[in-house]
Amino acid sequence: MIKSMKQMAVITLALALGLALGLAWAAPAALAAGELDKIKAAGKIRIGVYSDKPPFGYVDANGVNQGYDVYLAKRLAKDLLGDESKVEFVLVEAANRMEVLESNKVDLVLANFTVTADRAKQVDFCKPYMKVALGVVSPAKAPITDVAQLKGQTLIVNKGTTAEIYFAKNHPEVTLSKYDQNTEAFNALRDGRGVALAHDNTLVFAWINENPGFVAGIDFLGDLDSIAPAVKKGNNELLEWVNNEIVTLGQENFFHKDYEATLRPVYGDTIDPETVVIEGGVLK
Amino acid sequence: MESAISIFLEGRNLARLMEGVWITLKISAASVLLSVVFGLLVGLLMISRKPALQAATRFYLEAIRVMPILVLLYMFYYLPDKNWGLHFEAQTVAIGVFTLWGTAEMADLVRGALTSMPAHQRESGRAIGLTEGQVNRYIIIPQAVRRLIPGVINLTTRMIKTTPFIYFISVPELLKVGQQIVEISGMKNNMASFWVYGFIFFLYFLMCYPISCFSAYLEKKWQN
């Protein structure tokens, strides 16, 4: 019986494998049509956004996507497809923002994506709509105000972020403790698993506004970077459309409206919008 | 405590967590079922005396074992689309990857259960005139199944606890939903992570504990 069972096993596995391959080949291959036409034909644009990075991209208590990036995403959908609801939000992480574009899982990524030369080798960035530098947040009782204080100490960063890259490259004397999620990283800071946490200053401002025991001892570090939408490498049609859109939106001060709607409630009135917002895609 | 309850009562938070539970349960249940079926088949192939089959199944087991789940998810979700334009639904890929992994583990359990059976049992069975099939049916398989149960239960709970990795392919399972809630509640309520993760711990316990109980019940029942 074992022998016949073995034969059965071989046959069943062969069938399962054949079925899987068959399904794989039956999947429609990507059409070579224009990228914009494809989106229009689909009736929706797929945009990769964060689901847990308030105030840029998050899911609110009712399960609805919100934030500075989402505000722009909805407007792009409205201008391209005539209805701001014609956007499918795909949840992305810092760690898979490149992959979702390279593998066609989304048309556009609006996930607080800082433009860097390395990233630009893998994806194409549109004109920027926000600017950012690094901020270092530490407990008010033991503030870190200078990078020199971090020597030999543990600094908390998120994997794949500008902060990690900057410190790994420029300050190898600082021990980095790396986390996947912002939640975990900030919890690590609260628990004292590092003397400070480095992240985009835009996020740091938001967090200390709600956490009085902490200060942004260093509020500007590294280069002034820009944040931009990203498309798949070579998707020039969508790239140009988004670029034109950003210029046009600048004429109506769209990104200041976006700031008022999504960022001011979180930053409070102490932060000048001009330190964050870029209008018309021109970094000043 | 009041602040804790308000987190779960706000908006659809509780319902969203339950949707997360559903995704976790759905993916692990489907994967475990498929793993058991394929694992039995592959396990039988593993004890084959044909060197080629042995080598092939061995290679499969070791290859899956050394690969982190994230790598497998990447290989089956992002790579096919990147290289050949093949798109699979994220949840299908999740079930596929977990099944690949579960099948390898399950097959090794089956192999272990069958080869751990003393040779004299088969010989004694044959000596009293049972056919090869009868020996398998009445002597080997019933005992092998009992030896399998603890391993299968262990595999099931491990699978449930490994589902959070599917955040990497954009599936919002229980833990990811929890993180989303912590991120918006946590800005204002610094106990949010404690309550939300605590509740999630409790939900995972509710998912895994009945399975352990069932296993204990079976073991007790079969002792007599």
Side-chain angles (χ1 to χ4, degrees), chain A:
Chain A
M1 187 183 165
I2 281 281
K3 196 173 179 197
S4 66
M5 275 169 83
K6 258 182 226 151
Q7 281 167 347
M8 234 170 65
V10 174
I11 293 166
T12 316
L13 282 177
L15 281 177
L17 202 69
L19 191 70
L21 281 176
L23 284 175
W25 286 117
L31 292 167
E35 296 296 333
L36 283 180
D37 287 338
K38 262 201 275 183
I39 294 169
K40 283 175 184 159
K44 63 175 185 200
I45 180 167
R46 300 165 305 159
I47 300 185
V49 293
Y50 278 136
S51 69
D52 56 359
K53 310 269 186 292
F56 309 109
Y58 63 98
V59 177
D60 71 11
N62 292 311
V64 181
N65 293 81
Q66 303 286 3
Y68 187 81
D69 293 339
V70 171
Y71 193 91
L72 172 61
K74 285 181 179 166
R75 179 60 190 263
L76 292 179
K78 190 180 171 210
D79 290 349
L80 183 64
L81 301 164
D83 186 344
E84 67 166 35
S85 69
K86 288 187 174 167
V87 47
E88 179 188 330
F89 291 112
V90 177
L91 313 184
V92 300
E93 303 291 326
N96 70 356
R97 284 180 294 187
M98 309 275 199
E99 275 75 25
V100 291
L101 281 172
E102 289 177 344
S103 59
N104 293 313
K105 302 299 182 192
V106 299
D107 301 306
L108 186 72
V109 165
L110 283 175
N112 202 38
F113 217 162
T114 308
V115 181
T116 68
D118 276 341
R119 286 173 180 165
K121 286 176 196 154
Q122 291 181 60
V123 297
D124 282 339
F125 284 105
C126 308
K127 287 181 189 288
Y129 61 100
M130 226 178 114
K131 54 190 163 185
V132 65
L134 293 180
V136 178
V137 52
S138 45
K141 282 176 288 184
I144 299 288
T145 51
D146 187 29
V147 179
Q149 285 171 265
L150 290 170
K151 190 174 179 184
Q153 302 278 10
T154 301
L155 176 70
I156 298 161
V157 293
N158 272 61
K159 283 180 198 164
T161 58
T162 325
E164 182 198 352
I165 298 165
Y166 175 83
F167 276 94
K169 197 170 164 188
N170 301 307
H171 296 284
E173 76 279 10
V174 179
T175 311
L176 296 183
S177 175
K178 302 172 187 180
Y179 294 86
D180 275 315
Q181 314 289 346
N182 284 354
T183 323
E184 294 172 70
F186 280 108
N187 279 344
L189 179 68
R190 279 191 185 122
D191 297 347
R193 278 177 272 160
V195 294
L197 178 149
H199 213 305
D200 295 344
N201 59 1
T202 46
L203 187 71
V204 165
F205 295 155
W207 192 77
I208 56 171
N209 195 40
E210 300 288 351
N211 291 272
F214 294 87
V215 290
I218 304 173
D219 60 3
F220 189 97
L221 181 70
D223 306 315
L224 177 63
D225 284 316
S226 53
I227 285 172
V231 298
K232 187 181 179 175
K233 196 110 199 121
N235 188 349
N236 295 328
E237 213 185 319
L238 184 59
L239 181 79
E240 274 168 34
W241 185 84
V242 174
N243 281 345
N244 286 335
E245 185 73 8
I246 286 175
V247 172
T248 317
L249 290 175
Q251 289 160 8
E252 57 173 271
N253 252 7
F254 173 83
F255 294 99
H256 281 82
K257 286 180 211 155
D258 193 349
Y259 181 93
E260 294 301 323
T262 59
L263 300 186
R264 187 181 292 280
V266 181
Y267 288 174
D269 298 328
T270 53
I271 311 261
D272 178 8
E274 302 308 322
T275 60
V276 183
V277 172
I278 297 179
E279 287 289 359
V282 186
L283 180 62
K284 276 176 249 174

Side-chain angles (χ1 to χ4, degrees), chain B residues 214-224:
Chain B
F214 180 63
S215 152
Y217 163 79
L218 280 185
E219 281 178 38
K220 203 173 165 193
K221 188 180 154 198
W222 286 343
Q223 247 169 18
N224 306 320

Side-chain angles (χ1 to χ4, degrees), chain B:
Chain B
M1 195 64 204
E2 205 178 304
S3 69
I5 292 167
S6 69
I7 295 172
F8 299 110
L9 291 185
E10 199 187 340
R12 293 187 58 248
N13 281 353
L14 197 61
R16 289 169 61 210
L17 285 168
M18 291 308 138
E19 285 159 14
V21 169
W22 169 237
I23 287 181
T24 294
L25 278 181
K26 189 171 66 175
I27 286 174
S28 19
S31 310
V32 166
L33 281 178
L34 289 170
S35 299
V36 167
V37 173
F38 289 125
L40 284 171
L41 298 173
V42 177
L44 289 171
L45 296 182
M46 277 182 163
I47 54 168
S48 149
R49 286 178 208 95
K50 290 199 183 76
L53 266 184
Q54 272 185 358
T57 49
R58 192 83 213 152
F59 176 79
Y60 165 63
L61 174 68
E62 296 301 334
I64 295 291
R65 232 182 219 167
V66 298
M67 248 187 282
I69 291 288
L70 277 184
V71 174
L72 287 173
L73 288 172
Y74 177 80
M75 276 174 52
F76 288 91
Y77 187 67
Y78 295 115
L79 276 189
D81 216 336
K82 200 164 164 178
N83 295 326
W84 309 293
L86 298 176
H87 174 73
F88 302 108
E89 284 303 315
Q91 297 201 18
T92 312
V93 171
I95 293 172
V97 163
F98 279 94
T99 303
L100 262 182
W101 166 52
T103 300
E105 298 270 339
M106 180 69 194
D108 207 33
L109 291 174
V110 171
R111 184 192 60 80
L114 288 176
T115 52
S116 71
M117 227 52 80
H120 71 78
Q121 295 211 5
R122 181 175 297 277
E123 286 156 10
S124 314
R126 293 290 283 157
I128 60 167
L130 296 178
T131 65
E132 191 72 13
Q134 284 171 323
V135 169
N136 283 326
R137 184 162 164 208
Y138 296 111
I139 301 175
I140 306 295
I141 291 178
Q143 297 185 82
V145 167
R146 287 175 201 197
R147 291 184 188 190
L148 266 180
I149 292 297
V152 173
I153 298 304
N154 184 28
L155 183 62
T156 308
T157 51
R158 269 166 66 211
M159 222 166 241
I160 290 173
K161 289 181 293 183
T162 312
T163 50
F165 278 121
I166 60 178
Y167 81 84
F168 186 61
I169 57 171
S170 306
V171 181
E173 47 60 60
L174 177 56
L175 197 61
K176 187 78 228 172
V177 175
Q179 268 158 1
Q180 292 169 359
I181 293 173
V182 167
E183 286 293 339
I184 43 171
S185 314
M187 288 258 184
K188 294 189 178 66
N189 181 349
N190 60 12
M191 286 298 280
S193 56
F194 175 78
W195 291 118
V196 174
Y197 286 132
F199 185 59
I200 287 175
F201 163 81
F202 178 67
L203 290 175
Y204 274 108
F205 175 77
L206 282 187
M207 285 190 267
C208 294
Y209 189 62
I211 300 170
S212 300
C213 288
F214 180 63
S215 152
Y217 163 79
L218 280 185
E219 281 178 38
K220 203 173 165 193
K221 188 180 154 198
W222 286 343
Q223 247 169 18
N224 306 320

